Amino acid sequence: MSVRPWRDITRRKSRQIMVGNVPVGGDAPVTVQTMTNTPTSDPRATIDQIRRCEDAGVDIIRVSCPDVESTAALKQIVRASRVPIVADIHFHYKRALEAADAGAACLRINPGNIGSAERVNEVVAAAKANGCAIRIGVNAGSLERDLLEKYGEPCPDALVESALDHIKLLQDRDFHDFKVAVKASDLFLAVAAYQQLAEAVDCPLHLGITEAGGFVGGTVKSAIGIGSLLWYGIGDTIRVSLSAEPEDEVRVGFEILKALGIRNRGVRVVSCPSCARQGFDVIRTVQALEERLQHIRTPMSLSVLGCVVNGPGEARETDIGITGGGNGKHMVYLSGVTDHHVQDADMIEHIVKLVEAKAAEIDAADEAKAA
């Protein structure tokens, strides 16, 4: 029994696969993915976007390979990327063969959409020869016609049956390095399908609420859907699908994991919604700090509270805290203890320096332990 059992998450036991050098499933950390939206045939633009995602902390990146120009550029993209590359393939089995040869760490396909049994054999053989994993991607928006006719509409049973059919195609060919997604834009449908699939298979599961929407709406839907599944212990890798920049998807993904205590990266900000009691502009301060602290990867906590009602209490639970006071003079807390005051004009720069110093202190302590 843990000290705080209400926080405990019992993770579903899945077998582990490798996507390049990144383990997925088993006891490996839940990984965060995104997908580029530049033309893959333009390697420079795609690599630049990958760099921004790497800076945001992405673990795995998917790129679409709709044509031979894209797979031709893939070798250069794979060489330049610091994280494993997943090649997104639809229908054209030759693109899968080319992507595997170009060094893709994983192929995102639906084996049943590749074509004949001979073509599936070729794709599996290419994946085996090149050490590629495969991600089976079932989507409510592109279910097979026979399943739509059988069930009348996309439903959990239909998504799971589609996934199991695709899984069988791989298992019959003695291929087991695969993960599976059963995505839908309807978060109720997606959650129910993932819950059902989690009971039926032991492979790693890739979570996502597909076509979730814009930054605000899509973040809310994804947090509810993906967050609910992770809370149940389901999920080994996630992608937050937003009509926003890929690096924003990465940041939201990490925020979901941080909120559940599953993975910690960077600064976790505790801040109030602000009211008339605030001693400084909380909203603008938090916006500025989140922007200035994106480069911090060390897990730590920062509380930003506008007044003394909840400020001291929250500060006691965080590494660094600031509570609004009168006359532009605010209290700074270090490791939960009152330490000194700071004036309005110096506050943001001061907090940034404190966070950077604390991060360096934590990193040094971790290195000393590992030595």
Side-chain angles (χ1 to χ4, degrees), residues 47 50-51 54 61 76-85:
I47 291 166
I50 288 171
R51 285 285 176 269
E54 289 170 342
I61 292 185
Q76 181 180 347
I77 293 167
V78 168
R79 280 200 308 265
S81 177
R82 303 187 192 108
V83 298
I85 297 294

Side-chain angles (χ1 to χ4, degrees), residues 192-211:
Y194 275 111
Q195 288 175 319
Q196 188 172 322
L197 184 64
E199 295 290 328
V201 298
D202 70 345
C203 61
L205 297 183
H206 171 114
L207 302 188
I209 306 299
T210 194
E211 293 132 12

Side-chain angles (χ1 to χ4, degrees), residues 61-140:
I61 292 185
R62 181 158 45 115
V63 302
S64 183
C65 293
D67 47 43
V68 69
E69 291 80 14
S70 296
T71 51
L74 192 61
K75 186 174 290 187
Q76 181 180 347
I77 293 167
V78 168
R79 280 200 308 265
S81 177
R82 303 187 192 108
V83 298
I85 297 294
V86 178
D88 193 83
I89 310 293
H90 287 280
F91 307 116
H92 303 291
Y93 86 104
K94 286 189 176 179
R95 302 294 84 80
L97 306 181
E98 294 159 0
D101 289 340
C106 181
L107 305 175
R108 188 276 191 196
I109 62 171
N110 280 348
N113 292 342
I114 291 298
S116 65
E118 183 179 340
R119 290 181 175 181
V120 176
N121 289 341
E122 285 191 58
V123 171
V124 170
K128 286 182 177 180
N130 290 281
C132 283
I134 287 178
R135 198 259 276 190
I136 295 170
V138 176
N139 194 304

Side-chain angles (χ1 to χ4, degrees), residues 291-309:
E291 180 67 28
R292 292 284 304 276
L293 297 174
Q294 286 184 13
H295 65 292
I296 301 293
R297 298 193 174 196
T298 307
M300 58 184 300
S301 54
L302 167 67
S303 57
V304 183
L305 280 292
C307 76
V308 296
V309 173

Side-chain angles (χ1 to χ4, degrees), residues 159-342:
L159 267 66
V160 171
E161 184 170 333
S162 176
L164 294 177
D165 287 345
H166 292 308
I167 287 171
K168 188 174 187 302
L169 287 173
L170 297 183
Q171 289 178 330
D172 286 349
R173 290 159 175 82
D174 195 29
F175 189 90
H176 306 283
D177 294 328
F178 59 84
K179 51 195 171 91
V180 184
V182 281
K183 294 186 178 183
S185 58
D186 179 334
L187 67 89
F188 293 97
L189 172 56
V191 169
Y194 275 111
Q195 288 175 319
Q196 188 172 322
L197 184 64
E199 295 290 328
V201 298
D202 70 345
C203 61
L205 297 183
H206 171 114
L207 302 188
I209 306 299
T210 194
E211 293 132 12
F215 185 78
V216 175
T219 293
V220 171
K221 283 179 67 175
S222 296
I224 294 171
I226 295 173
S228 296
L229 288 164
L230 291 169
W231 203 339
Y232 295 143
I234 296 170
D236 303 287
T237 185
I238 68 173
R239 189 254 173 123
V240 178
S241 299
L242 303 176
S243 299
E245 293 303 323
E247 55 266 38
D248 289 331
E249 293 187 348
V250 177
R251 293 184 185 109
V252 172
F254 271 103
E255 288 299 324
I256 292 172
L257 296 179
K258 282 160 66 175
L260 290 166
I262 292 172
R263 246 183 110 177
N264 290 311
R265 180 190 185 279
V267 182
R268 177 176 62 86
V269 178
V270 177
S271 60
C272 67
S274 79
C275 69
R277 292 190 304 267
Q278 65 181 353
F280 58 88
D281 189 335
V282 173
I283 294 173
R284 250 58 64 183
T285 299
V286 170
Q287 289 173 343
L289 288 170
E290 287 182 335
E291 180 67 28
R292 292 284 304 276
L293 297 174
Q294 286 184 13
H295 65 292
I296 301 293
R297 298 193 174 196
T298 307
M300 58 184 300
S301 54
L302 167 67
S303 57
V304 183
L305 280 292
C307 76
V308 296
V309 173
N310 294 319
E314 294 290 355
R316 280 195 293 270
E317 304 297 324
T318 53
D319 294 304
I320 296 170
I322 185 159
T323 297
N327 300 316
K329 188 178 180 182
H330 316 300
M331 177 59 73
V332 176
Y333 300 75
L334 301 180
S335 301
V337 179
T338 56
D339 193 84
H340 60 276
H341 289 91
V342 66

